[in-house]
């Protein structure tokens, strides 16, 4: 909201400077983000009087004016012809620079010395075009600067209003606040409409077919209108508020919008069929050209202002091109209405139209201001357009809105909240200064009626805040609250979450936080069957967009979209993870079932490019190793990776279920090519997703003790086994362990080989077995016996062949 300091002072009498006012408003919750001085360039231009005008002796198109500037008579050569002796004009003396950038110098023009310049509105940038020099009112003081004489110097305060303060989107609203803060008189502009004998009902009728969207519609009939440019003072005020002047009628509607906060519209009455206004919803697919000459496609949610045959405006948003006020317009239908804020907000967003009117309507205007603002506009048009106003107002208000509520303020409670000792009399005074009517009061409580323009005041605490604003926040002493803070228990899984974050971060992973809302299309792209748990999502009632319309049942879509974003920015090497909740619909419960899930993703190079090591891409086993490290720090027992080719979003040859003692806790694998094609990703991606809640459940919570380093050396034995292609490495390891051989400490796989001389359908797996005793050194003979026992056990348990 842009507020003119000079304009504001017409409604409220106060002595504060613009800087002091800006500070006071900010301290009272109306933040002034900027303060600008406008019109300083007019301070050096003088009001002057033309003594006489004579032809230039050497140029037919030039004149010589002798001009009195209050001190002396100057000789001015002028090319305009609209001035005469006795006219009051704007004189630019030698040495100044005009607003249009022209520097005034003393010079000879065709042999005649010129000591300045008589200015036009165009040269002063007060008009886009002007036919001649600016002729001023004869009652202005000669010699006075133009800035003071025409009040062209002003200060503009830019106020960042919060959405709840709709009452302050007007000069009157700001003036009411200023009057309260400075405890001074606030005066509404005088409204006195001179009406003719003929009544408005002869010309206008209004029918409300959608009263829920337009509870009140008022109108006046104005005729004998003369369309022309508005006076300078009005154009200037509109310009300072960021509104372009158009003509005297349109400018008046914009002026009243700024003054009262009540949007208005003027229709060319001759273009409104039969003078009939019908307020109703649009037909689906209906087309309409708005004032900006754009075609709008409407639907049944859009409220339209129509005449007897056609739509003429989008209610509360923008008027139509078919009833636009033009130079030849001679009569007007003036509209002032109250529209449903939610309806205007929805229409404005849907059609992509944001206007000064829609901005105010969607925040909520005062329905009681419709008629006063209408009368104010009619009065100004009558004065500025030499127009006549028909008697009376059409006021379609079938269901008056409920009266504003009454609220009780507990005086002791208010002082306790604020930490003040404000007396009941002072509190009453504060509230009345804000325009809040006090119904009754005593030493304990104050009963007030909330005014219709303060829609933000609903409860007692709202009025307590108002008391603080008027009293002054700076007067409230700073005190530390006296309270006992109970000792709280931290989150049960805090330690485990910190551990896993540290582990993955130390291994080069970056943590990401993605949206809890996803698109069902992402689940569809994963090729998930209909009976899969991922489809048990919860839909959002009012989603921000289709891409965020359901609550996630997996973290994978968020991680994959993160890859897309990074790849679009040429970041091709990624290690990311997320620790967050997923949500599943439950048939019998209103609330969803929540799971705490850990998911990780790798793609691209294993390490940054360097001269001393080859470039290698990450693979399935890199990610599996990171996951095994997590299981290790949580001391998880009996963790198995079981090949599962049925996971639809994983490559069938590289996907596994992760199981603890028969309980599935997650999956790991390479993302299926069809998913990568859908996302337009060219690199292989490997991901895991595990139920972090189950990891916490299965982790060994016993206190850990450090093992002493072994005192005696270990002995290793290697063996290469030829087995069927389908046999998993884990199966052989479990078979070795099941032999229960004494002193066996560790088993490692260190080689995998396929090809000649290994038969087709077979593979060679090489194992290294480590033997060690805690109390003595083992001999080779002892270890050989143990090793032979293991090989014998393997031959008996499964089909294997020793590779020589």
């Amino acid at each position: 909201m842009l507020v003119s300091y000079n304009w504001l002072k017409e409604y409220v009498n106060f002595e504060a400077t613009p800087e002091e006012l800006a500070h006071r408003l900010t301290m009272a919750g109306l933040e002034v983000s900027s303060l600008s001085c406008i019109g300083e360039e007019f301070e050096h231009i003088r009001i002057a009087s033309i003594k006489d005008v004579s032809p230039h002796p050497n140029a037919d198109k030039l004149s010589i004016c002798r001009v009195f500037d209050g001190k002396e008579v100057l000789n001015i050569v002028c090319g305009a012809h609209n001035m005469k002796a006795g006219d009051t004009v704007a004189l630019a003396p030698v040495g100044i620079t005009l607003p249009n950038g022209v520097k005034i110098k003393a010079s000879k023009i065709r042999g005649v010395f010129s000591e300045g310049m008589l200015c036009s509105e165009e040269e002063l940038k007060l008009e886009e075009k002007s036919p001649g020099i600016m002729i001023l009112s004869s009652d202005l003081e000669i010699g006075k600067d133009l800035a003071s004489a025409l009040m062209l110097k002003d200060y503009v305060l830019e106020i960042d209003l919060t959405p709840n303060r709709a009452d302050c989107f007007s000069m009157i609203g700001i003036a009411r606040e200023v009057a309260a803060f400075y405890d001074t008189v606030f005066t509404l502009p005088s409204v006195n409409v001179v009406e003719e004998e003929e009544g408005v009902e002869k010309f206008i009728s209004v029918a409300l077919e959608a009263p829920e969207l337009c509870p009140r519609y008022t109108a006046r009939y104005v005729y004998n209108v003369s369309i022309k440019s508005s006076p300078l003072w009005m154009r200037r005020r509109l310009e300072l508020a960021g509104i372009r002047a158009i003509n005297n009628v349109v400018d008046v509607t914009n002026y009243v919008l700024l003054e009262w906060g009540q949007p208005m519209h003027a229709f060319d009455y001759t273009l409104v069929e039969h003078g009939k206004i019908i307020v109703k919803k649009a037909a689906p697919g209906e087309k309409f050209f708005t004032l900006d000459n754009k075609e709008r496609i409407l639907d049944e949610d859009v409220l339209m202002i129509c005449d007897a045959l056609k739509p003429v405006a989008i209610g509360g948003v923008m008027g139509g091109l078919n009833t636009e006020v033009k130079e030849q317009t001679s009569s007007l239908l003036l509209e002032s209405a109250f529209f449903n804020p939610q309806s205007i907000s929805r229409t404005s967003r849907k059609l992509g139209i944001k206007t000064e009117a829609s901005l105010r309507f969607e925040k909520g205007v005062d329905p009681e201001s419709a008629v006063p603002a209408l009368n104010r506009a009619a009065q100004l048009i009558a004065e500025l357009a030499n127009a006549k106003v028909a008697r009376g107002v059409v006021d379609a208000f079938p269901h008056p809105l409920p009266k504003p509520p009454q609220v009780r303020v507990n005086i002791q409670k208010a002082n306790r909240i604020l930490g003040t000792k404000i007396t009941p009399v002072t509190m009453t005074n504060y509230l009345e200064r804000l325009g809040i009517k006090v119904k009754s009061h005593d030493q304990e409580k104050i009963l007030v009626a909330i005014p219709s323009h303060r829609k933000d005041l609903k409860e007692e605490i709202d009025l307590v805040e108002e008391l603080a604003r008027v009293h002054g926040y700076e007067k409230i002493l700073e005190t530390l609250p006296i309270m006992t803070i109970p000792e709280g228990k931290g989150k049960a899984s805090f330690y485990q979450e910190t551990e896993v974050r540290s582990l993955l971060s130390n291994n080069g992973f970056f943590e990401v936080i993605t949206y809890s809302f996803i698109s069902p299309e992402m689940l569809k792209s994963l090729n998930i069957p209909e009976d899969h748990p991922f489809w048990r999502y919860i839909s959002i009632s009012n989603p921000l967009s289709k891409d965020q319309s359901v609550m996630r049942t997996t973290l994978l879509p968020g991680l994959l979209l993160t890859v897309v974003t990074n790849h679009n920015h040429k970041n091709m090497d990624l290690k990311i993870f997320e620790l967050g909740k997923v949500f599943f619909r439950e048939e019998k419960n209103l609330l969803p079932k929540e799971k705490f899930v850990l998911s990780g993703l790798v793609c691209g190079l294993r390490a940054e490019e360097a001269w001393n090591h080859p470039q290698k891409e990450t693979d399935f086993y890199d990610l599996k190793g990171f996951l095994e490290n997590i299981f290790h720090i949580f001391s998880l027992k009996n963790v198995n990776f079981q090949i599962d080719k049925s996971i639809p979003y994983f490559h069938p040859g590289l996907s596994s279920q992760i199981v603890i003692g028969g309980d599935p806790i997650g999956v790991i694998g390479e993302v299926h090519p069809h998913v990568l094609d859908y996302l337009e990703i060219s690199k292989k991606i490997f991901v895991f997703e595990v139920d972090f809640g189950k990891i916490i459940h299965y982790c060994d919570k016993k206190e850990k003790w450090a093992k002493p380093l072994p005192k005696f050396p270990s002995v290793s034995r290697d063996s290469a086994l030829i087995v069927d292609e389908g046999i998993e490495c884990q199966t052989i390891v479990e078979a070795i362990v099941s032999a229960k051989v004494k002193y066996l400490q560790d088993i490692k796989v260190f080689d995998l080989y396929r090809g000649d001389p290994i038969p087709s359908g077979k593979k060679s797996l090489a194992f290294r077995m480590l033997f060690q005793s805690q109390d003595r050194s083992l001999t080779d003979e002892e270890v050989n016996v143990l090793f032979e026992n293991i090989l014998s056990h393997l031959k008996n348990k499964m089909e294997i062949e020793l590779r020589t």
Side-chain angles (χ1 to χ4, degrees), residues 530-545:
E530 292 182 0
D531 58 346
H532 197 283
F534 284 177
W535 284 114
R536 295 207 329 263
Y537 59 69
I538 296 174
S539 298
I540 308 301
S541 300
N542 188 23
L544 295 174
S545 68

Side-chain angles (χ1 to χ4, degrees), residues 102-333:
V102 175
K103 188 170 184 179
I104 306 302
K105 299 178 181 179
S107 60
K108 277 189 177 183
I109 302 176
R110 292 291 186 95
V112 177
F113 192 66
S114 182
E115 303 174 272
M117 178 178 175
L118 301 184
C119 303
S120 67
E121 287 96 333
E122 184 178 347
E123 289 159 341
L124 295 175
K125 297 193 78 171
L126 296 174
E127 283 278 11
E128 290 185 8
K129 296 285 184 182
S130 56
I133 67 169
M134 186 179 189
I135 306 300
L136 303 171
S137 173
S138 58
D139 58 1
L140 294 178
E141 181 184 342
I142 304 301
K144 194 171 185 179
D145 67 275
L146 190 66
S148 301
L150 300 185
M151 295 188 70
L152 295 177
K153 182 179 178 181
D154 201 350
Y155 293 87
V156 176
L157 298 87
E158 184 176 2
I159 304 177
D160 290 340
L161 295 172
T162 52
N164 65 317
R165 292 308 305 270
D167 60 301
C168 288
F169 277 89
S170 67
M171 294 299 300
I172 287 175
I174 298 295
R176 187 185 290 113
E177 293 281 298
V178 173
F181 301 150
Y182 288 105
D183 193 13
T184 186
V185 179
F186 161 63
T187 307
L188 285 171
S190 176
V191 180
N192 182 22
V193 184
V194 178
E195 298 180 326
E196 302 301 315
E197 286 299 319
E198 287 187 299
V200 68
E201 62 276 0
K202 179 180 177 180
F203 304 96
I204 299 173
S205 63
V206 174
L208 297 184
E209 295 186 6
E212 72 283 3
L213 301 183
C214 177
R216 188 176 198 180
Y217 191 98
T218 70
R220 266 193 179 275
Y221 176 64
V222 183
Y223 58 102
N224 284 0
V225 176
S226 176
I227 303 295
K228 55 186 176 181
S229 178
S230 298
L232 177 61
W233 63 268
M234 179 173 282
R235 299 200 311 269
R236 185 70 173 166
R237 287 182 175 178
L238 293 176
E239 178 189 343
L240 295 182
I243 296 177
R244 181 175 61 90
I246 298 173
N247 58 52
N248 51 355
V249 170
V250 176
D251 292 352
V252 164
T253 61
N254 286 329
Y255 184 85
V256 174
L257 173 142
L258 295 172
E259 185 177 61
W260 285 82
Q262 171 66 47
M264 305 190 65
H265 189 67
F267 300 96
D268 186 324
Y269 178 79
T270 61
L271 301 176
V272 178
E273 297 291 338
H274 307 305
K276 186 174 181 63
I277 290 293
I278 304 172
V279 183
K280 62 181 181 180
K281 294 181 180 179
E286 186 173 4
K287 297 179 180 180
F288 181 68
F289 277 92
T290 45
L291 281 170
D292 55 4
N293 202 21
K294 292 182 180 179
E295 186 181 54
R296 311 290 179 174
I297 309 298
L298 313 175
D299 61 31
E300 62 273 15
D301 289 331
V302 177
L303 183 69
M304 298 299 293
I305 311 300
C306 306
D307 64 14
L309 300 177
K310 63 183 181 298
V312 294
I314 300 175
V317 178
M318 187 178 285
L321 203 60
N322 54 5
T323 52
E324 180 185 12
V325 173
K326 298 180 179 178
E327 191 174 344
Q328 60 269 28
T329 298
S330 60
S331 56
L332 306 169
L333 188 156

Side-chain angles (χ1 to χ4, degrees), residues 538 586-592:
I538 296 174
E586 292 198 313
E587 300 299 334
K588 296 182 180 179
N589 294 329
L590 181 63
L591 295 177

Side-chain angles (χ1 to χ4, degrees), residues 687-737:
V687 298
F688 71 76
E689 186 165 73
V690 293
D691 187 331
F692 198 69
K694 286 188 176 181
I695 289 178
I696 294 172
H697 172 73
Y698 285 115
C699 75
D700 190 346
K701 299 179 178 66
K702 294 178 183 178
E703 191 172 354
K704 295 181 181 179
W705 294 86
K707 275 187 177 182
L709 292 173
K711 297 180 180 179
F712 301 97
S714 61
V715 181
S716 64
R717 292 290 185 269
D718 295 345
S719 178
L721 309 177
I722 299 174
V723 298
D724 288 339
E725 187 69 56
I727 294 179
E728 297 178 18
C729 172
Q730 183 66 27
T731 304
I732 299 174
V733 171
E734 289 173 357
I736 294 172
V737 172

